[in-house]
Amino acid sequence: MFGLHCADLAVVLAYFAAILYVGVVQGGRRTKSLGDFFVAGGKWGPLVSFIFIFASAIAGNEAVVVSGEAFRGGLSGVWYWWSFLFATPIYYLFSTYYRRARVYNLAEFLEMRYGRGVSALYAVIAGVICILFIGMFVLAIAKILSGLTELSVTQCVWLITAIVSAYVYSGGMMSALLTDILQGLMCLFILSFVMLPFLWLDVGGMSALRSLPAEKWDFTSEGMTLWTVLALNLSAMVGGVAAPWIYNWIAVARDEKAATQCAWGHLWKRVITLLFAIYGILFFLHSPEVSDPEAAWGVVMKDILPPVLLGLLIASFFAAAMSSADTYATTSSAMIVDFIYRKILRPAGSTLHYLFCARLWAVGSIVIAALTTIWIGSIEQYVKLPLSLSSFLGTPIYFGVIWRRANRTGMWWSLGLGSVSYLLITQIMPLAELIDR
């Protein structure tokens, strides 16, 4: 059924049943306030915070993008997500600072420093960025799953959308955190390691790797030059602290010590990202004829994994996508409903009213993200736009924290010049070159 062995199908269905029970029943039961919905009560210790942040950070798209680029160009493909390597210590420094603010989202944090106008603009942009990332997550996993089953990419996208929507509506970040404890462990162990011994033996182990040309092991290549690596790292270091979900991940922790797990969770993600690049090289050895490297996971998994293990890995890819989509949807809801709607448009509503609106927007953001996959068919397109937007949003945050004289006038100039520069470099200059030809 659906192109899967009955044992694999049973594993996947058991996973769906467990996630829906924990997310819908338990998450819904524990969600009584806006604090529960947006930051899961803000009461969790270091271990739960670590698992939650790792699960939310590893969305499965890293596996697709990094292994795909490593398939094409070798180890240099790791920089598509290793670009955040040097941003990880910054997460550690900012985690205690953000946790002390004790508000629900980064827009409220910015309002304390720069006022409501700037924060409202940030909230709108951040809400859109969250939606684009959700679209990237579901498209990446849908590509893998469509290669493993008889379902199309579109059907896989809407399957993920339906399940995530059900439990996010029930409990928001509370449901996300409870389900991510299971999904984080699946990503940590099954997604990362279960296929490695089978693939290693199949391609011939170390002798096969040694037979590859030396360029495959370089950290730079024709498609990933040193200047590109430096630009990606600079963009990540500047824009990482402006990512709205980073604040919400930190806010679930009960204190500043637990909040630092944001850095440790991301550090472990960097280790796993390097492993994904190794997978890409192994995929090249196994199936060099694959036309779309982003679909290599599905092709190789189906070829070498036995029943049950294949089902576990499929469930783990679902877990990777859903454990990130849920937190990004709740973060988008925090931006639009908790800040724009509750604080600006309708500040006199009841808690029940805001909870209902937050649930609707969280589901709506997932549905909108699924619709974007109709027009955006490449993971690379999804990666470029959100990272570019977040990079010039990060600069005012640094100045606001480090320099006491930073003010809202400077913030507006920063955002304005960043926007103009982005449009000039990405749109006007290529158009001018095209006209010259």
Side-chain angles (χ1 to χ4, degrees):
M1 191 176 182
F2 302 115
L4 294 175
H5 190 279
C6 59
D8 295 323
L9 186 61
V11 170
V12 174
L13 292 177
Y15 159 72
F16 285 155
I19 290 302
L20 287 172
Y21 171 75
V22 173
V24 175
V25 178
Q26 295 298 325
R29 185 179 298 165
R30 297 184 184 206
T31 303
K32 306 296 183 184
S33 67
L34 292 175
D36 293 333
F37 191 88
F38 290 126
V39 296
K43 59 184 180 183
W44 302 93
L47 180 59
V48 171
S49 296
F50 172 84
I51 297 172
F52 166 69
I53 290 168
F54 177 78
S56 299
I58 195 116
N61 58 305
E62 304 92 346
V64 175
V65 173
V66 170
S67 64
E69 294 303 321
F71 186 103
R72 295 186 186 98
L75 201 58
S76 61
V78 75
W79 287 112
Y80 275 90
W81 248 266
W82 247 27
S83 55
F84 286 88
L85 179 65
F86 298 106
T88 305
I90 297 173
Y91 293 158
Y92 186 92
L93 296 174
F94 268 79
S95 59
T96 55
Y97 196 83
Y98 279 168
R99 186 64 188 86
R100 289 172 188 172
R102 290 175 173 80
V103 292
Y104 292 157
N105 56 71
L106 191 50
E108 290 182 292
F109 177 86
L110 286 171
E111 184 185 26
M112 293 189 293
R113 188 65 178 84
Y114 291 114
R116 182 159 291 182
V118 169
S119 304
L121 175 63
Y122 170 82
V124 172
I125 296 173
V128 173
I129 289 174
C130 287
I131 290 171
L132 290 172
F133 267 94
I134 295 169
M136 175 172 61
F137 301 153
V138 296
L139 179 62
I141 304 308
K143 283 192 170 189
I144 293 174
L145 297 174
S146 65
L148 287 166
T149 66
E150 295 174 353
L151 299 174
S152 66
V153 171
T154 302
Q155 289 171 325
C156 291
V157 164
W158 288 107
L159 177 60
I160 296 170
T161 299
I163 296 172
V164 177
S165 296
Y167 70 78
V168 165
Y169 181 86
S170 297
M173 195 68 82
M174 181 67 77
S175 292
L177 184 140
L178 294 175
T179 55
D180 284 3
I181 293 173
L182 170 61
Q183 295 183 138
L185 293 173
M186 293 175 69
C187 294
L188 189 59
F189 298 109
I190 300 173
L191 174 63
S192 303
F193 297 106
V194 74
M195 189 166 63
L196 187 59
F198 295 93
L199 185 58
W200 183 267
L201 293 174
D202 189 82
V203 302
M206 186 60 72
S207 60
L209 295 178
R210 287 173 177 165
S211 68
L212 291 169
E215 298 79 41
K216 276 283 185 183
W217 302 105
D218 286 344
F219 277 101
T220 58
S221 63
E222 185 176 346
M224 183 61 69
T225 64
L226 178 60
W227 288 111
T228 304
V229 171
L230 292 174
L232 285 171
N233 277 274
L234 179 61
S235 176
M237 289 175 67
V238 173
V241 295
W245 49 88
I246 293 292
Y247 186 95
N248 288 67
W249 295 348
I250 290 169
V252 305
R254 68 184 176 208
D255 53 34
E256 294 169 16
K257 182 179 180 181
T260 61
Q261 294 304 314
C262 181
W264 298 117
H266 278 86
L267 182 62
W268 186 245
K269 179 185 174 181
R270 307 301 167 230
V271 175
I272 300 301
T273 302
L274 181 59
L275 181 61
F276 290 151
I278 302 296
Y279 269 120
I281 295 172
L282 293 173
F283 291 160
F284 174 78
L285 289 169
H286 182 275
S287 302
E289 74 284 354
V290 171
S291 58
D292 181 7
E294 289 184 352
W297 275 91
V299 173
V300 177
M301 284 164 59
K302 196 170 185 177
D303 187 41
I304 68 172
L305 283 180
V308 178
L309 287 183
L310 179 60
L312 282 172
L313 193 52
I314 292 172
S316 297
F317 269 109
F318 271 114
M322 297 196 304
S323 64
S324 296
D326 54 16
T327 58
Y328 282 64
T330 308
T331 301
S332 178
S333 183
M335 294 292 125
I336 304 302
V337 175
D338 186 54
F339 190 80
I340 298 293
Y341 185 67
R342 183 176 72 88
K343 299 199 72 172
I344 299 176
L345 299 180
R346 190 180 176 184
S350 66
T351 299
L352 288 177
H353 173 72
Y354 293 132
L355 268 175
F356 177 71
C357 293
R359 287 180 166 117
L360 285 184
W361 183 265
V363 172
S365 64
I366 299 169
V367 173
I368 295 169
L371 290 172
T372 65
T373 63
I374 298 172
W375 298 280
I376 305 177
S378 167
I379 309 299
E380 185 179 355
Q381 291 175 277
Y382 272 115
V383 171
K384 287 181 178 178
L385 180 57
L387 291 183
S388 301
L389 290 173
S390 62
S391 62
F392 60 79
L393 289 172
T395 305
I397 295 177
Y398 277 105
F399 275 97
V401 171
I402 296 170
W403 192 31
R404 182 173 294 181
R405 296 184 65 185
N407 55 47
R408 66 189 64 182
T409 302
M411 172 74 159
W412 281 114
W413 273 103
S414 174
L415 290 177
L417 291 174
S419 302
V420 170
S421 301
Y422 175 76
L423 291 173
L424 179 66
I425 295 170
T426 62
Q427 304 297 324
I428 297 175
M429 291 177 65
L431 181 62
E433 291 179 5
L434 186 63
I435 293 172
D436 288 340
R437 292 175 186 172

